[in-house]
C-alpha cells in the first residue's frame, strides 16, 4: 500500500465515521424531540405557574402592607405606654412629696 492509497483509505474511513456520527446525532435528536402535545402541555404548565407566582406576589404585598400597619400600631401603642409610665412616675413623685409634707 503506497502513500496515496493510505491517504485515500484513511479519508474514506474518516468520512464514514463522520457520516455515522451525524446520523446518530440526527437519530437521537429525532427520538428525543418533544411532541407538539408535550410542548403545549409544558406551555400550559408554564402559564399556570406564572399565574400562581403573580398571585403569590400580590399576597406577599398585601401581607407586607398589613405587617407595616401592625408595626405602626405597635409603635404608637409603645409610645403611649412610655408616656403613661412617665406620667405614672410623675404622679407617684407628686404623691410622695405631698405625703412627705404632712
Amino acid at each position: 500500500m503506497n502513500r496515496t492509497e493510505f491517504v485515500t483509505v484513511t479519508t474514506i474511513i474518516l468520512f464514514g465515521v463522520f457520516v455515522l456520527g451525524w446520523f446518530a446525532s440526527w437519530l437521537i435528536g429525532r427520538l428525543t424531540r418533544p411532541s407538539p402535545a408535550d410542548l403545549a402541555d409544558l406551555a400550559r404548565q408554564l402559564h399556570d405557574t406564572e399565574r400562581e407566582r403573580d398571585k403569590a406576589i400580590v399576597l406577599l404585598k398585601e401581607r407586607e402592607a398589613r405587617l407595616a400597619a401592625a408595626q405602626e400600631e405597635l409603635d404608637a401603642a409603645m409610645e403611649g405606654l412610655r408616656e403613661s409610665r412617665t406620667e405614672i412616675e410623675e404622679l407617684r413623685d407628686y404623691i410622695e412629696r405631698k405625703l412627705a409634707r404632712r
Side-chain angles (χ1 to χ4, degrees), residues 35-98:
S35 69
D38 291 340
L39 290 177
D41 187 44
L42 287 173
R44 185 187 48 76
Q45 288 177 358
L46 177 64
H47 289 299
D48 292 345
T49 304
E50 287 176 346
R51 222 176 283 120
E52 290 175 16
R53 183 204 60 196
D54 293 341
K55 287 179 185 177
I57 288 172
V58 168
L59 286 175
L60 178 64
K61 288 181 180 179
E62 289 174 359
R63 288 182 182 166
E64 286 176 346
R66 278 189 254 143
L67 180 62
Q71 185 65 41
E72 288 175 8
E73 289 177 13
L74 176 62
D75 291 342
M78 292 299 289
E79 183 62 31
L81 184 59
R82 275 196 233 36
E83 290 173 3
S84 297
R85 286 181 180 164
T86 304
E87 188 177 334
I88 289 171
E89 287 299 318
E90 290 173 358
L91 289 172
R92 281 185 184 156
D93 290 343
Y94 175 76
I95 291 171
E96 287 176 5
R97 279 183 291 174
K98 287 289 187 178

